Each structure stands twice: as structure tokens, then as C-alpha cells.
Amino acid sequence: MSQLFGKNILITGGATGIGKEMAKIALDKGVGKLVLWDEDVEKLNETEWEFKQYHSNVFAIVVDVSDNQQIISASEKTKQLAGPIDILINNA
């Protein structure tokens, strides 16, 4: 069984590129809940929709990680949606 199985994972910069690829791997490994942070609203929504086709516990939050207030707000929303995060992939 995968070490990711059932874990709650947060990936910053998760809408495209390496972040999106890491998210795909996490979903394939049986992640519990997947939270994607990204500042690109359009790409984030597309990625969330794509992933929700085969995994219902995917949550997308728009956040610019260079803005401390947005990080605080996104962190609170993340806790509400997914609970505690087990693994952070800081890709942004």
C-alpha cells in the first residue's frame, strides 16, 4: 500500500506543470483529500474539474502565496474543507 494512501495533501502551484503532475500521482496512490492552491483561477478551476471526474475529495483554493493575508485565509479554508494536512508539497 502507498505511503500516500488516505493522507490529506496540499500542493501549492497545483494547477499546472509539476504541481499538477504530483497531484495526479497522489490521486493514483489513493490520497484521502487533495487540496490545490494556485493563483491562476482559470487553470485551477480546469484542474479541479478534471480531477473531480475520478476523485470527489479534491478542493481548489485560489491563493497568491506571496501574500501573507491570502495564505492565512487559504489555510483556514483548507482546514474547513480537508481537515489537517498530512503532507505539504510546496511547489509554488
Side-chain angles (χ1 to χ4, degrees):
M1 185 170 291
S2 166
Q3 292 180 348
L4 299 179
F5 185 82
K7 301 289 184 182
N8 293 343
I9 298 178
L10 166 60
I11 301 176
T12 66
T16 61
I18 293 170
K20 184 175 179 178
E21 289 302 314
M22 286 191 268
K24 286 179 186 177
I25 292 168
L27 290 171
D28 289 343
K29 300 282 184 176
V31 65
K33 295 179 183 170
L34 175 65
V35 181
L36 304 174
W37 284 10
D38 207 290
E39 65 181 350
D40 186 330
V41 177
E42 184 176 326
K43 291 293 185 185
L44 187 60
N45 288 336
E46 288 173 11
T47 300
E48 179 185 29
W49 181 86
E50 176 185 338
F51 290 165
K52 280 194 171 188
Q53 300 306 303
Y54 59 97
H55 195 288
S56 61
N57 288 327
V58 177
F59 306 99
I61 300 173
V62 177
V63 57
D64 177 350
V65 297
S66 69
D67 182 325
N68 287 339
Q69 287 303 317
Q70 286 189 38
I71 292 171
I72 292 167
S73 177
S75 296
E76 291 170 2
K77 188 170 183 180
T78 297
K79 287 179 200 173
Q80 291 171 354
L81 293 171
I85 296 299
D86 300 304
I87 299 170
L88 166 65
I89 300 175
N90 192 12
N91 178 63

